[in-house]
């Protein structure tokens, strides 16, 4: 872990760093947290231009033979609950015990610590005494944490699962507890949720204890509310006692945190709450709930409690709850700790349970400390920082209440237990800070009368406007203008009534000049839907948009059980457009992302988009999503060709071809309208006529009782005859398609790209058959022309690749489905040779199909993520790399590459072959580190991918996983090397 004497190390002693001098703010805060748990060292993973991430707490008891098991059990329980680090190591004279903080302590009659593994030591602490321990020494080396290989490919990495962590386990058990309480009619659902949250806060206060054993509540406090009660759960076991306790706490603390209304008081006074007490004490027979025994609520982070409650509320339309590690990542970008400004007003326009606001409040406290010599702020200062700077709006009352609860808990976190009880009185944040309201109504009514430095959050994604939002859109649409080529004004509509984009626009206006907006948005409407093109142009024309962080690749893992939601975070400064390049970061799926350890970015995730391209070319975003500039060149070239839609339109005019999607069955509103008209039809002639008109609109004799092809029966291998329906039973339809497309001869194209074949199913049929709207039909009298289309479509992976680079749906929200307009947009020149690819284009497309598609689907489990590069892969890479550069630099050649445990160092030289010497294999990894440090002044630990120029040699230094050494990556490396050399005057 210590590394060599010449290199930087991520190992930082805790006690020698009680001031922030010489270390980053993030590391200083992490060391303060570690000090609370009496760790001796923290091991950090350090990144370039990004905050360090604590990986391991280390406890040095090498002067002792062993450590008290009860101490280890409690330490394991505390760190499991806190989520501060994924691991901790305990060193003694005879062994190293390694603990997984994603794994709970072992359950039984009493808890027991549970090491991930134990490494036995010889007399010399640096030598393991058996083969297994020697292997573990290597697996748990500092270098394996520095380069991420421990999390991605060590034998222990499968045991670090987010689903086993305190957050997921606690959420599962609390949901089950609430279900049991509601099912047994202990309390109605809405009361049960609130009582559980209040119970968490009280239990948190009960467990708060300082180093001297002082607690928040006075001795025998709970006996004031229930006879002989010694703990909070005793109060729950006595009917009526809990209401008395809440009333007392409401008077004592003020601020409305513990305030209950009369309906709630009556419910909890007259009901038996002992079931709550049993659950919270972990004593329910027959069900393994061990809440308070397993979790240390004194150590559970406030953000975790907030997220748990958000998920209690269930999935709301358009609402995606924000995982804490995403919150921290965006706050690192938008509210860095290096700044000392504390008069800094922050708004979350759809704050949910307050996860962004809690994180922002903590950062303001840190800024105050930094500005004031690292003193701890007084209670009044803490309250002032909260009262003057933290604001939120939330439509759901229950969530708004929780935001106030969460902020109050964050305030308590900064106080000593005795101070909480003696001095703390909460401010009422309901009045101005946390508003229970529609955001757009609050803006209209001027309730948000501040100008904000930062607006950050995750607004709802619904394609539906609230009444107040609709009024806002009516006003905004008049000023949302573009000038076309003929100097005419174009009024730009809000794409698909997407309310999140309206939140974005409204938020910018609430910022002060040069203030920043950072909002999570659905990435389809923000980046990938063609219907959003003009809206993006308006944004880019009016404001400075420095970066967009695109999470589409990790949509399946980012929001867990809440669903596969493609998102991106856009950063907008309230200042005129700078017409500067925009940074588009496409976050790829890796093991750290999957298990929510931290965000891992590498060079290939960064795409600098010139302003003119961002403004004028809608293809650039999806090209970056696929891999960058080379993809953009291919897709741009193909997009200039005549389209399949052009071809169909021409055939329609010349030869009376007919084409359309199939039918959709009647939706709920159709049937309700028909039912109402049927009920009223006898009232008048007009009513009868209206009913008959609607009946005719919904009916279709050319569909009902006709032979029907189910969508699932149609695949790229053909049509499964056994699954065809002889008679369609539906009578009412929302849309019908053109009647002629169901008649033979016709060609059917399924609107999907199949995963297995990466092709679009297509089938010529010479029989009448009806089908739904996810099948596109073409009817023509000329069979031969339809067969020509079929021939061009069958197993055409280039078509599928093109759709991957142009469709706003494929690989975004609906990962494999298409729209009819996507099919019509396919390049379809008369001369097929115009679709032929050159050698470089072939490499890019082939790598995408063979490797990157699977990487998108399976991430850390895909072939290119888990497989090491082979000698043949490296030969192919070097050939492609040199081929590009030889177009200008005729003499470039590959040298002999060096392979270490984690990296490949591949030299390429110009002209005369130089003598390149590395250390022996045992020292190879250190040699690479020394080389990088010597020339770049940074540790390789901070950089995953390096291009190093020394004399007439270019060194490419990258992890040895296959994904970094594909031939398509060689082309990108060559392009960037060429750019570097041009800048240096070559």
């Amino acid at each position: 872990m210590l590394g060599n004497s010449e290199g930087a190390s991520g190992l930082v002693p805790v006690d020698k760093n009680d001031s922030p001098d010489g270390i980053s703010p993030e590391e200083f805060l992490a060391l303060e947290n570690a000090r609370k748990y009496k760790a001796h060292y923290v091991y950090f993973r350090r990144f370039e231009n990004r905050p360090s991430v604590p990986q391991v707490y280390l406890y040095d008891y090498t002067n002792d033979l062993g450590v008290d098991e009860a101490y280890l059990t409690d330490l394991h329980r505390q760190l499991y609950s806190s989520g501060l680090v994924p691991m901790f190591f305990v060193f003694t004279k005879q062994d190293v015990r390694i603990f997984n903080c994603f794994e709970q302590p072992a359950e039984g009659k009493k808890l027991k610590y549970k090491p991930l593994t134990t490494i036995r030591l010889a007399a010399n602490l640096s030598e393991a005494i058996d083969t297994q321990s020697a292997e573990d020494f290597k697996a748990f080396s500092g270098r394996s944490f520095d380069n991420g290989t421990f999390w991605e490919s060590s034998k222990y990495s499968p045991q670090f699962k987010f689903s086993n962590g305190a957050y997921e386990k606690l959420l599962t058990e609390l949901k089950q507890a609430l279900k049991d309480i509601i099912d047994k009619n202990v309390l109605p659902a809405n009361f049960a949720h609130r009582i559980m949250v209040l119970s968490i806060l009280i239990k948190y206060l009960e467990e708060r204890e300082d180093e001297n054993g002082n607690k928040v509540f006075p001795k025998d406090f709970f006996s004031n509310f229930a006879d002989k009660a010694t703990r909070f759960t005793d109060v729950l076991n006595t009917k009526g006692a809990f209401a008395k306790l809440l009333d007392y706490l409401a008077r004592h603390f003020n601020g409305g945190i513990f305030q209950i209304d009369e309906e709630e008081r009556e419910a909890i006074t007259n009901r038996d709450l002992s079931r709550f007490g049993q659950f919270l004490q972990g004593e329910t027979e027959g069900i393994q709930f061990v809440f308070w025994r397993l979790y240390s609520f004194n150590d559970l982070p406030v953000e975790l409690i907030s997220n748990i409650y958000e998920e209690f509320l269930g999935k709301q339309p358009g609402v995606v709850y924000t995982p804490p590690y995403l919150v921290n990542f965006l706050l690192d970008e938008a509210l860095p700790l290096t700044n000392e400004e504390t008069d800094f007003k922050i708004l979350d326009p759809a704050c949910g349970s307050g996860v962004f606001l809690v994180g922002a409040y903590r950062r303001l406290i840190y800024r105050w400390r930094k500005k004031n010599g690292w003193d701890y702020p007084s209670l009044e200062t803490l309250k002032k920082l909260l009262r003057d700077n933290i604001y939120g709006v939330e439509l759901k009352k229950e969530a708004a209440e929780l935001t106030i609860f969460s902020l109050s808990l964050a305030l308590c976190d900064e106080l000593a237990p005795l101070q909480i009880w003696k001095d703390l009185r909460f401010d009422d944040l309901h009045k101005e800070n946390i508003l229970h309201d529609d955001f757009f109504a609050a803006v209209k009514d001027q309730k948000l009368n501040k100008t904000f430095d930062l607006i950050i959050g995750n607004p709802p994604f619904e394609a539906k406007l609230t009444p107040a939002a609709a009024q806002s859109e009516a006003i905004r649409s008049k000023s949302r203008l573009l000038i076309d080529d003929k100097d005419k004004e174009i009024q730009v509509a809000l794409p698909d009534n997407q309310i999140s984009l309206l939140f974005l626009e409204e938020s910018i206006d609430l910022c002060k000049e040069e203030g920043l907006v950072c909002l999570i948005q659905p990435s389809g409407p923000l980046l990938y839907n063609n219907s959003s093109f003009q809206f993006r142009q308006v944004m880019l024309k009016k404001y400075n948009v420095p970066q967009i962080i695109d999470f589409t690749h990790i949509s399946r893992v980012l929001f867990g059980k809440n669903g596969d939601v493609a998102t991106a975070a856009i950063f907008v400064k309230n200042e005129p457009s700078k017409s500067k390049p925009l940074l588009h970061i496409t976050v790829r799926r890796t093991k750290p992302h999957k298990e929510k350890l931290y965000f891992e970015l590498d060079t290939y995730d960064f795409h600098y988009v010139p302003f003119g391209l961002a403004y004028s070319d809608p293809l650039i975003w999806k090209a970056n999503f696929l891999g960058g500039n080379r993809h953009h060149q291919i897709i741009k070239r193909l997009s200039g060709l005549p389209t399949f839609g052009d071809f169909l339109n021409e055939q329609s005019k010349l030869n009376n071809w007919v084409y359309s999607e199939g039918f959709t069955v009647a939706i709920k509103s159709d049937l309700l309208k028909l039912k109402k008209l049927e009920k009223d039809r006898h009232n008048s002639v007009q009513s009868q006529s209206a009913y008959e008109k609607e009946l005719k609109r919904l009916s279709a004799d050319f569909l009902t009782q006709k032979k029907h092809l189910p969508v699932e029966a149609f695949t790229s291998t053909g049509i499964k005859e056994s699954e065809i329906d002889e008679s369609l039973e539906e009578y009412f339809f929302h849309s019908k398609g053109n009647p002629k497309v169901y008649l033979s001869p016709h060609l059917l194209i399924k609107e999907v790209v199949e995963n297995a074949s990466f092709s679009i199913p297509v089938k010529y049929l010479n029989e009448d058959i009806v089908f739904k709207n996810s099948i596109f039909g073409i009817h023509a009298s000329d069979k031969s022309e339809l067969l020509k289309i079929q021939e061009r479509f069958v197993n055409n992976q280039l078509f599928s690749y093109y759709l991957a680079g142009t469709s706003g749906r494929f690989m975004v929200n609906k990962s494999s489905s298409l729209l009819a307009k996507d099919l019509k947009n396919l390049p379809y020149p008369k001369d097929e040779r115009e679709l032929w690819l050159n050698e470089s284009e072939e490499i890019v497309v082939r790598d995408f199909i063979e490797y990157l598609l699977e990487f998108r689907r399976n991430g850390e489990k895909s072939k290119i993520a888990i497989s090491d590069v082979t000698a043949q892969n490296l030969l192919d890479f070097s050939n492609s790399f040199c081929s590009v550069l030889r177009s200008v630099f005729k003499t470039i050649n590959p040298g002999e590459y060096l392979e270490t445990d984690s990296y490949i160092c591949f030299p390429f030289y110009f002209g005369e072959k130089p003598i390149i010497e590395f250390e022996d294999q045992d020292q190879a990894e250190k040699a690479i580190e020394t080389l990088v440090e010597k020339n770049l002044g940074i540790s390789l630990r901070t950089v995953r991918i390096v291009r190093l120029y020394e004399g007439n040699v270019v060194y490419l230094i990258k992890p040895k996983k296959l994904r970094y050494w594909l031939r398509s990556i060689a082309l990108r490396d060559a392009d960037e090397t060429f750019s570097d050399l041009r800048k240096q005057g070559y």
Side-chain angles (χ1 to χ4, degrees):
M1 285 251 162
L2 288 170
N4 60 57
S5 58
E6 298 177 0
S9 172
L11 186 68
V12 181
V14 173
D15 290 340
K16 293 181 181 178
N17 287 277
D18 53 2
S19 73
D21 298 334
I23 60 174
S24 70
E26 292 80 14
E27 289 191 8
F28 177 66
L29 278 181
L31 292 170
E32 282 199 332
N33 287 329
R35 198 171 292 119
K36 296 176 186 176
Y37 296 97
K38 297 181 170 57
H40 298 108
Y41 296 86
V42 177
Y43 199 88
F44 291 94
R45 181 167 185 196
R46 288 171 169 156
F47 299 89
E48 184 179 23
N49 301 322
R50 290 179 52 219
S52 303
V53 177
Q55 303 277 276
V56 185
Y57 283 177
L58 296 96
Y59 293 83
D60 181 6
Y61 295 111
T62 50
N63 292 325
D64 305 318
L65 287 175
V67 182
D68 179 66
E69 292 191 359
Y71 164 74
L72 286 180
T73 299
D74 196 49
L75 182 61
H76 192 181
R77 183 176 75 103
Q78 289 178 318
L79 291 178
Y80 169 70
S81 298
S82 74
L84 291 170
V85 283
M87 303 179 74
F88 70 97
F89 295 1
V90 179
F91 292 80
T92 68
K93 280 186 176 181
Q94 59 186 11
D95 60 31
V96 183
R97 273 168 272 191
I98 296 174
F99 293 81
N100 176 2
C101 298
F102 279 56
E103 192 70 39
Q104 64 194 34
E107 298 176 38
K109 290 186 177 179
K110 65 177 184 177
L111 292 179
K112 182 174 175 58
Y113 74 98
K114 183 182 179 181
L116 174 68
T117 189
T118 299
I119 303 175
R120 294 182 295 151
L121 300 176
N124 182 344
L125 287 176
S126 65
E127 298 176 3
I129 63 173
D130 58 27
T131 303
Q132 180 63 42
S133 292
E135 290 179 0
D136 281 346
F137 259 105
K138 184 177 178 180
F140 294 104
S141 70
R143 191 170 292 112
S144 71
F145 291 102
D146 292 339
N147 57 40
T149 56
F150 177 83
W151 306 115
E152 293 179 358
S153 56
S154 77
K155 71 175 184 179
Y156 292 102
S157 64
Q159 298 184 55
F160 289 83
K161 294 184 179 294
F162 181 73
S163 57
N164 292 336
Y167 171 74
E168 284 287 304
K169 290 288 187 183
L170 182 58
L171 176 61
T172 300
E173 292 178 357
L174 283 175
K175 279 184 173 179
Q176 183 58 46
L178 281 169
K179 183 177 184 301
D180 179 87
I181 286 169
I182 295 166
D183 288 348
K184 289 184 168 48
N185 200 30
V186 176
L187 278 176
N190 57 332
F191 293 160
H193 289 155
R194 178 154 165 73
I195 297 310
M196 185 66 84
V197 170
L198 290 173
S199 297
I200 289 172
L201 178 54
I202 296 170
K203 192 64 184 176
Y204 162 85
L205 294 173
E206 183 183 24
E207 289 196 7
R208 280 298 301 273
E209 184 175 355
D210 64 19
E211 293 181 350
N212 300 317
N214 296 312
K215 296 192 173 186
V216 173
F217 296 124
K219 188 177 180 180
D220 299 327
F221 172 72
F222 293 107
S223 64
N224 295 313
F225 310 98
D227 188 36
K228 298 181 181 179
T230 60
R231 57 189 180 181
F232 166 53
T233 49
D234 294 336
V235 173
L236 288 168
N237 293 334
T238 304
K239 185 178 282 191
F242 188 47
K244 295 177 183 178
L245 171 62
L246 291 176
D247 286 341
Y248 183 90
L249 293 175
R251 291 192 300 273
H252 182 85
F253 285 114
N254 296 334
I257 301 299
F258 294 100
Q259 197 75 44
I260 54 175
D261 59 32
E262 288 304 315
E263 189 179 6
E264 290 171 324
R265 179 177 290 102
E266 182 180 352
I268 63 176
T269 299
N270 298 325
R271 292 178 183 248
D272 180 3
L273 302 181
S274 59
R275 191 74 176 173
F276 263 104
Q278 292 169 353
F279 274 121
L280 301 180
Q281 200 59 37
E283 295 175 350
T284 306
E285 292 184 9
I287 306 178
Q288 294 182 356
F289 290 104
V290 288
F291 288 171
W292 283 185
R293 192 160 59 96
L294 179 60
Y295 304 104
S296 170
F297 273 71
N298 187 32
D299 299 291
L300 283 172
V302 177
E303 296 87 343
L304 186 150
I305 295 172
S306 298
N307 269 262
I308 285 171
Y309 186 74
E310 280 188 332
E311 297 208 35
F312 278 177
L313 302 178
K315 185 170 177 58
Q316 305 294 315
V319 177
V320 178
Y321 297 126
T322 320
Y325 88 131
L326 174 57
V327 172
N328 292 331
F329 177 65
L330 295 180
L331 285 171
D332 284 338
E333 295 287 315
L335 193 63
L337 295 174
T338 50
N339 193 309
E340 294 185 9
E341 182 62 54
T342 55
D343 181 13
F344 196 87
K345 292 175 176 52
I346 301 154
L347 170 71
D348 185 338
C351 61
S353 67
V355 287
F356 278 104
L357 295 180
V358 168
Y361 178 46
R362 290 189 187 282
R363 286 165 183 262
L364 290 183
I365 293 170
Y366 176 87
R367 286 181 171 190
W368 186 94
R369 291 183 59 202
K370 183 179 180 183
K371 192 164 62 174
N372 289 275
W374 301 104
D375 286 344
Y376 287 93
S378 66
L379 172 57
E380 186 48 44
T381 298
L382 289 169
K383 292 171 71 174
K384 182 175 173 56
L385 283 172
L386 176 55
R387 188 174 58 241
D388 292 353
N389 294 287
I390 301 298
Y391 299 86
V393 184
E394 173 54 44
L395 186 60
K396 194 171 183 64
K397 184 175 186 294
E398 212 169 7
E401 294 285 347
L402 185 63
T403 294
I404 295 174
F405 163 86
S406 300
L407 290 167
S408 303
L409 207 57
L411 176 60
C412 291
D413 252 4
E414 302 297 324
L415 302 173
L418 290 177
Q419 191 178 12
I420 292 173
W421 185 254
K422 181 180 177 183
D423 300 325
L424 178 60
R425 302 295 180 269
F426 291 114
D427 290 324
D428 189 349
L429 300 179
H430 297 84
K431 295 179 180 179
E432 293 186 7
N433 294 78
I434 308 301
L435 305 179
H436 165 225
D437 203 348
D438 183 306
F439 170 66
F440 300 97
V443 171
K444 180 189 174 189
D445 298 340
Q446 298 184 335
K447 294 181 181 179
L448 298 168
N449 53 8
K450 303 285 191 297
T451 52
F452 296 95
D453 297 273
L454 171 65
I455 298 180
I456 188 169
N458 184 10
F461 293 175
E462 273 193 298
K464 180 181 178 182
L465 302 182
T466 63
Q471 290 181 10
S472 173
E473 165 58 10
I475 296 169
R476 287 199 159 275
S477 63
K478 295 176 182 178
S479 61
R480 198 187 294 127
L481 300 171
L482 287 174
I483 306 298
D484 67 11
D485 295 337
K486 299 178 181 178
D487 293 329
K488 290 184 178 179
E489 285 188 345
I490 302 172
Q491 190 166 319
V492 178
L494 183 72
D496 194 31
N497 274 344
Q498 180 52 251
I499 196 170
S500 65
L501 295 175
L502 199 60
F503 267 92
L504 177 62
E505 283 189 303
E506 200 77 66
S507 295
I508 298 170
D509 284 352
L510 289 176
C511 270
K512 64 173 56 172
E513 188 175 346
E514 297 185 5
L516 178 66
V517 173
C518 169
L519 291 184
I520 297 173
Q521 298 281 293
S523 55
L526 180 68
L527 295 173
Y528 299 127
N529 295 350
N530 290 333
S531 60
S532 303
F533 176 53
Q534 290 183 333
F535 181 87
R536 289 195 298 271
Q537 285 187 306
V538 171
M539 294 295 295
L540 291 168
K541 181 182 178 182
K542 291 178 66 174
Y543 305 111
N544 178 16
V545 182
Q547 70 175 357
I548 296 173
I549 304 178
D550 190 347
F551 303 109
T552 304
H553 270 286
I554 61 171
S555 60
R556 296 180 183 178
V557 300
L558 189 59
F559 295 102
K561 296 177 182 178
N562 283 331
D564 182 356
V565 182
T567 61
I570 185 170
F571 293 72
V572 184
K573 296 197 76 174
N574 188 14
E575 62 185 11
S577 174
K578 302 290 186 183
S579 299
K580 290 183 177 180
L582 182 157
L583 178 58
H584 181 204
I585 301 173
T586 52
V587 183
R588 309 279 167 163
R589 180 173 158 183
T590 65
K591 173 75 172 180
H593 296 153
K594 173 70 165 58
E595 302 306 340
K596 299 177 173 57
L597 293 167
Y598 51 82
F599 276 92
E600 178 138 55
L601 305 175
D602 63 42
T603 299
Y604 304 120
D605 297 330
F606 290 76
H607 310 277
Y608 291 90
V609 184
F611 177 82
L613 206 57
Y615 181 80
S616 63
D617 192 343
L619 299 174
I620 187 62
W621 312 106
K622 203 71 184 291
N624 288 343
F625 174 82
L626 299 188
N629 184 55
R630 290 275 180 166
H631 292 277
H632 183 244
Q633 291 175 9
I634 297 170
I635 293 164
K636 187 73 173 174
R637 179 178 73 80
L638 295 176
S639 71
L641 298 174
T643 67
F644 187 48
D646 295 335
F647 169 76
L648 292 176
N649 188 46
E650 182 181 17
Q651 293 295 333
S652 174
K653 291 178 180 177
L654 296 178
N655 300 309
N656 297 319
W657 284 25
V658 173
Y659 52 91
S660 79
E661 291 182 310
F663 66 83
T664 57
V665 297
I667 59 177
K668 185 177 180 180
S669 59
D670 294 326
L671 299 176
L672 289 174
K673 181 179 180 181
L674 183 65
K675 187 175 181 179
K676 183 179 185 304
L677 290 172
E678 182 180 25
K679 183 179 179 180
D680 298 338
R681 65 176 175 156
H682 298 298
N683 294 342
S684 66
V685 174
Q686 291 84 355
S687 297
Q688 177 68 25
S689 176
Y691 168 71
E692 291 174 353
K693 185 177 180 181
E694 184 66 11
L695 184 64
K696 183 178 180 180
R697 186 184 74 83
L698 297 178
S699 303
D701 292 340
F702 60 88
L703 293 173
T704 301
Q705 296 183 344
K706 297 297 187 289
K707 194 173 185 179
H708 170 233
L709 172 62
V711 175
E712 56 274 13
F714 183 16
T715 71
S716 58
T717 60
I719 290 175
K720 300 175 184 177
E721 297 289 339
S722 61
E723 297 183 16
I724 291 179
D725 300 326
E726 289 302 320
S727 177
L728 179 67
E729 299 301 322
E730 301 291 344
Y731 281 89
F732 301 117
F733 304 90
H734 183 70
S735 65
K736 303 172 186 178
N738 190 305
K740 291 185 179 180
V741 298
Y742 305 114
L743 303 178
S744 67
H746 49 175
L747 187 76
L748 309 188
I749 305 174
K750 188 174 179 180
E751 294 175 0
V752 68
V753 176
E754 292 193 341
N755 286 337
S757 63
F758 193 57
S759 62
I760 305 163
V762 58
K763 183 66 175 176
Y764 169 81
L765 285 179
N766 199 23
E767 61 175 325
D768 297 350
I769 199 164
V770 300
F771 44 84
K772 287 187 176 179
N773 68 323
S774 50
I775 295 175
F776 184 81
I778 306 169
H779 169 74
S781 57
D782 190 338
K783 172 183 176 180
S784 63
E785 288 297 323
L786 293 178
L787 288 174
K788 285 180 183 178
I789 298 173
Q790 177 175 266
E791 184 180 356
R792 199 182 277 202
F793 266 81
V794 168
N795 296 323
N796 190 329
Q797 294 185 325
L798 180 62
F799 276 0
S800 300
Y801 168 80
Y802 183 81
L803 291 169
T806 56
S807 171
R809 173 179 286 202
F810 178 39
M811 298 186 71
V812 181
N813 287 323
K814 303 292 186 181
S815 61
S816 60
S817 67
L818 305 170
L819 297 171
K821 65 180 180 181
D822 294 327
L823 295 176
K824 293 177 185 177
N825 190 42
L826 285 169
Y828 204 84
K830 291 180 180 179
D831 187 347
E832 282 194 76
R833 290 177 294 181
E834 294 186 62
L835 294 173
W836 291 0
L837 305 177
N838 63 35
E839 183 180 356
S840 293
E841 291 175 332
E842 284 276 8
I843 289 171
V844 171
V845 174
R846 191 184 313 120
D847 274 0
F848 176 81
I849 294 170
E850 187 173 350
Y851 298 112
L852 298 177
L853 266 176
E854 191 214 359
F855 185 45
R856 155 70 175 151
R857 288 195 293 264
N858 299 326
E860 72 287 348
K861 296 179 181 178
S862 63
K863 180 180 178 181
I864 59 171
I866 63 177
S867 300
D868 285 344
V869 66
T870 65
Q872 184 61 51
N873 296 143
L874 291 171
L875 177 61
D876 293 340
F877 178 94
S878 66
N879 288 338
S880 296
F881 182 80
C882 291
S883 177
V884 173
L885 289 176
R886 281 181 187 143
S887 64
V888 178
F889 305 100
K890 305 298 184 183
T891 61
I892 188 169
N893 286 289
E896 295 182 10
Y897 62 84
L898 172 70
E899 181 175 355
T900 74
D901 289 338
S902 308
Y903 293 93
I904 298 290
C905 176
F906 208 146
F908 295 85
Y909 62 90
F910 299 90
E912 184 178 347
K913 184 175 182 178
I915 298 174
I916 301 173
E917 293 183 351
F918 295 106
E919 300 289 337
D920 58 63
Q921 286 298 312
D922 291 338
Q923 299 297 316
E925 203 133 327
K926 289 182 180 178
I928 289 178
E929 290 179 4
T930 303
L931 180 67
V932 175
E933 290 159 11
K934 177 182 177 181
N935 290 276
L936 296 182
I938 56 173
S939 167
L940 185 60
R941 296 182 180 94
T942 65
V943 184
R944 289 184 61 87
I945 298 159
V946 174
R947 288 193 310 277
L948 178 65
Y949 301 90
E950 185 177 56
N952 68 331
V953 182
V954 179
Y955 296 91
L956 297 183
I957 305 171
K958 301 193 282 185
K960 62 194 293 184
K961 294 302 177 189
L962 177 57
R963 63 174 283 209
Y964 297 102
W965 298 98
L966 300 175
R967 293 182 71 191
S968 55
I969 297 298
L971 300 181
R972 180 167 175 178
D973 284 341
D975 292 341
E976 293 175 358
T977 300
F978 179 76
S979 177
D980 289 343
L981 293 172
R982 287 290 300 270
K983 290 175 184 176
Q984 295 174 40
Y986 292 98

